[in-house]
């Protein structure tokens, strides 16, 4: 019974589920974190302060009759007992299943899929989500997204919200209380916040259903921060420490390829899907400087990537509303691309056509035409929307073609001949069991939007 003499046996440690991400044609990252007690006042995850061996297996089938690869990883206390396994040697464009075992316990099974090889014309199905505030309701949209079994899920930011529980929550809005009444500022607080979110079964189902590509926006660190400016009067050096803690916790809870080192956490990256789509994941948050949205290094990377891309669709995946907007009453948002018009113009000038921008952040669903491409804005998974008058905005902005005020996600299908998007919506998030409906559907035709559902 006491295999490890003198050490207490660890209780079931896979309480946060499993996940995979960063699909390459020959491999993926497998993720889990050992946390027998997800939120713990002194020990992260309720784990002992020692390393633990974790065995992983990759199989052809969900029943693990044909195990193709297996190995051992070490979960270390310094990284909150998270595990990031870099699997290689897999076949391109292929579905696989994986699981972990540690201390006599076996994890749930996850499904993943590698990216197609560079010359493939295989279509790709992408789920797109953002803004999942735990307190604001149930992640039913993620349960429906899991059931769609996309090839990959793109999370465009606000995976957690750093806020503490408010003293006087708005009635009907604070559905699932948090333990903590204080804003996350320390590594321990961010870790506990991710752990609380990741106990959610619908979030676990979405991670177990497909590989993810994730990008933090502001709330993974602090509301509306910009570059090294926290916006609350604290010094840039104190804020940098906080941002590093936040990004470390982000890495510990997601299937990322690149570990943060010192002050350096790079999230912008290129993820090709054969000849069909070049996904450019763009960080419009941490390199901001004055009127510069992306920082010179990232902008140079992005514009040269766009110029040299031969893929059928050039897809920019990023957090913030990209198209220009006029508002009926208030001035244009400065925490969106409207606050950085020269940066936006330089990005648009780098691509002749077939550009698709995917974005989130605003907690409502929109679609826009950009001239040489289109933009699809996903709604929030749960986060409460602002009081936006959608029809007034559509009337004032003829290039905006669609608004929906429900929570939900996007289901994108890209092929050599078509780019289509379905806006999936759930009618409520304040209780479980919401059905999913299609709020709208579009096809991209010569850089314009065509309705497919009317
Ligand atoms: Fe948000
Ligand atoms: Ca945001």
């Amino acid at each position: 019974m006491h295999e490890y003499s003198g050490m207490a046996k660890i209780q079931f440690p896979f309480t946060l589920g499993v996940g995979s991400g960063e699909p390459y044609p020959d491999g993926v990252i497998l993720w889990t974190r050992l946390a027998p007690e997800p939120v713990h006042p002194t020990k992260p995850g309720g784990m002992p302060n020692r390393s633990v061996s974790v065995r992983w297996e990759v199989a052809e089938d969900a029943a693990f009759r044909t195990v193709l690869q297996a190995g051992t990883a070490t979960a270390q206390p310094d990284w909150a007992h998270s595990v990031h396994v870099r699997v290689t040697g897999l076949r391109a464009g292929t579905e696989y299943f994986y699981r972990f075992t540690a201390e006599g316990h076996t994890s749930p099974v996850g499904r993943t899929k590698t990216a197609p090889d560079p010359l493939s014309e295989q279509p790709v199905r992408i789920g797109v989500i953002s803004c999942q505030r735990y307190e604001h309701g149930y992640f039913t949209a993620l349960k429906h997204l899991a059931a769609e079994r996309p090839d990959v899920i793109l999370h465009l930011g606000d995976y957690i919200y750093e806020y503490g529980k408010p003293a006087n929550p708005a009635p009907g809005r604070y559905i699932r209380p948090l333990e903590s009444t204080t804003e996350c500022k320390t590594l321990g607080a961010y870790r506990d916040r991710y752990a609380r979110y990741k106990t959610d079964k619908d979030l676990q189902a979405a991670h177990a259903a497909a590989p993810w590509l994730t990008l933090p926006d502001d709330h993974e660190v602090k509301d509306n921060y910009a570059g090294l400016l926290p916006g609350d009067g604290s010094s840039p050096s104190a804020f940098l420490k906080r941002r590093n803690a936040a990004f470390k916790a982000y890495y510990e809870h997601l299937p990322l390829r690149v570990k943060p080192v010192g002050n350096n956490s790079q999230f912008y990256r290129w993820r090709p899907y054969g000849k069909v789509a070049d996904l450019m994941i763009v960080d419009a948050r941490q390199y901001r400087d004055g009127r510069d949205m992306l920082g010179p290094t990232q902008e140079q990377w992005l514009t040269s990537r766009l110029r040299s891309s031969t893929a059928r669709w050039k897809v920019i995946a990023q957090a913030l509303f990209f198209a220009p907007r006029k508002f009926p009453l208030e001035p244009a948002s400065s925490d969106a691309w409207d606050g950085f018009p020269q940066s936006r113009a330089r990005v648009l000038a780098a691509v002749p056509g077939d550009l698709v921008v995917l974005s989130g952040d605003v907690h409502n669903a929109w679609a826009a035409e950009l001239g040489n491409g289109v933009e699809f804005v996903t709604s929030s998974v749960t986060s409460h929307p602002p009081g936006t008058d959608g029809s007034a905005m559509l009337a004032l902005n003829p290039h905006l073609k669609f608004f929906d005020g429900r929570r939900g996600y996007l289901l994108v299908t890209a092929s050599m001949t078509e780019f289509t998007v379905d806006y999936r919506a759930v009618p409520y998030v304040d209780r479980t069991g919401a059905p999913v409906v299609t709020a709208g559907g579009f096809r991209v035709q010569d850089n314009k939007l065509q309705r497919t559902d009317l």
Side-chain angles (χ1 to χ4, degrees):
M1 176 163 171
H2 291 281
E3 195 184 340
Y4 304 89
S5 60
M7 293 184 203
K9 187 175 182 328
I10 294 171
Q11 295 303 304
F12 182 74
F14 299 109
T15 59
L16 311 182
V18 299
S20 72
E22 300 294 308
Y24 278 3
D26 70 337
V28 294
I29 302 294
L30 305 180
W31 171 92
T32 193
R33 180 189 163 204
L34 309 180
E37 295 170 77
V39 178
H40 191 282
T42 52
K43 299 181 290 182
M47 283 293 286
N49 188 25
R50 63 174 167 92
S51 295
V52 174
S53 278
V54 180
R55 185 171 167 76
W56 57 271
E57 294 169 278
V58 173
E60 224 169 67
D61 58 305
F64 288 78
R65 274 184 279 269
T66 312
V67 175
L68 301 170
Q69 290 192 36
T72 302
T74 304
Q76 295 171 319
D78 276 0
W79 293 92
H81 293 95
S82 62
V83 171
H84 296 77
V85 179
R86 191 178 285 242
V87 182
T88 59
L90 301 178
R91 273 179 294 138
T94 305
E95 183 178 75
Y96 293 96
F97 298 86
Y98 61 93
R99 68 183 174 194
F100 301 91
T101 49
E103 309 267 317
H105 302 282
T106 302
S107 77
V109 173
R111 169 205 178 251
T112 192
K113 195 171 177 185
T114 48
D117 75 55
L119 295 177
S120 168
E121 298 191 349
Q122 192 179 318
V124 54
R125 288 170 72 244
I126 309 171
V128 184
I129 49 179
S130 81
C131 296
Q132 48 190 34
R133 189 156 172 192
Y134 182 89
E135 311 95 285
H136 282 181
Y138 293 94
F139 296 160
T140 316
L142 297 182
K143 180 183 162 164
H144 291 298
L145 174 56
E148 312 241 23
R149 293 189 150 219
D151 296 316
V152 62
I153 292 174
L154 266 172
H155 195 294
L156 299 180
D158 295 357
Y159 189 100
I160 59 157
Y161 284 71
E162 81 288 12
Y163 301 123
K165 183 182 180 177
N168 298 300
R173 196 176 298 182
Y174 212 75
I175 308 299
R176 296 198 288 178
L178 294 170
E179 292 87 346
S180 175
T181 55
T182 52
E183 186 175 326
C184 296
K185 290 183 177 175
T186 63
L187 179 58
Y190 286 114
R191 280 173 168 166
D192 278 352
R193 188 61 52 91
Y194 282 98
R196 169 50 58 227
Y197 276 55
K198 292 192 86 101
T199 58
D200 183 278
K201 296 296 174 211
D202 296 334
L203 179 57
Q204 290 186 12
H207 275 291
W212 285 41
L213 288 166
T214 72
L215 172 76
D217 188 31
D218 55 339
H219 287 290
E220 284 84 351
V221 183
K222 186 194 176 302
D223 181 32
N224 278 1
Y225 89 86
L228 280 176
L229 297 177
D232 64 358
S234 61
S235 74
S237 61
F239 182 66
L240 182 60
K241 250 180 97 182
R242 176 178 176 184
R243 200 177 78 175
N244 288 346
F247 286 163
K248 184 170 199 284
Y250 186 78
Y251 172 81
E252 289 169 349
H253 292 87
L254 289 163
L256 292 164
R257 276 189 188 270
V258 182
K259 203 171 185 167
V261 180
N263 294 333
N264 191 12
S265 299
Q266 187 183 314
F267 300 111
Y268 68 84
R269 57 205 190 270
W270 171 55
R271 294 288 178 260
Y273 268 79
K275 288 163 78 174
V276 172
D278 271 339
L279 300 184
M280 267 77 71
I281 298 171
V282 170
D283 183 339
R285 184 65 62 183
Q286 72 160 316
Y287 305 106
R288 282 195 211 175
D289 186 9
R291 298 289 87 189
D292 183 356
M293 184 63 128
L294 302 178
T297 311
Q298 180 180 209
E299 185 181 304
Q300 171 62 35
W301 163 81
L302 175 61
T303 52
S304 61
R305 245 309 144 225
L306 287 172
R307 278 190 202 101
S308 62
S309 172
T310 55
R312 177 69 184 82
W313 306 101
K314 298 111 179 63
V315 180
I316 295 180
Q318 54 87 48
L320 303 170
F321 208 105
F322 191 80
R325 283 175 297 173
K326 281 189 197 128
F327 290 81
L329 303 168
E330 52 291 31
S333 171
S334 59
D335 193 49
W337 286 84
D338 268 339
F340 303 81
Q342 295 92 344
S343 295
R344 177 170 59 199
R346 290 193 297 269
V347 171
L348 283 170
V351 54
D354 299 323
L355 173 70
V356 178
V357 179
L358 302 172
S359 45
D361 180 57
V362 291
H363 305 176
N364 281 314
W366 299 89
E369 289 178 350
L370 302 168
N372 53 351
V374 295
E375 176 177 14
F376 298 101
V377 185
T378 190
S379 187
S380 56
V381 172
T382 50
S383 306
H384 203 270
T388 304
D389 185 341
S391 39
M393 288 294 289
L394 294 180
L396 205 56
N397 297 275
H399 59 289
L400 301 185
K401 301 296 183 189
F402 179 72
F403 167 81
D404 191 79
R406 288 170 287 186
R407 319 281 65 71
Y409 59 92
L410 305 182
L411 191 69
V412 170
T413 306
S415 72
M416 294 305 283
T417 51
E418 277 205 323
F419 196 104
T420 64
V421 174
D422 283 332
Y423 285 83
R424 302 276 205 246
V426 289
Y428 53 85
V429 295
D430 61 348
R431 55 201 193 279
T432 58
V436 69
V437 298
T438 299
F442 288 92
R443 173 192 300 120
V444 183
Q445 191 71 56
D446 300 325
N447 301 307
K448 299 238 177 302
L449 291 166
Q450 249 178 24
R451 203 75 196 230
T452 56
D453 64 322
L454 297 178

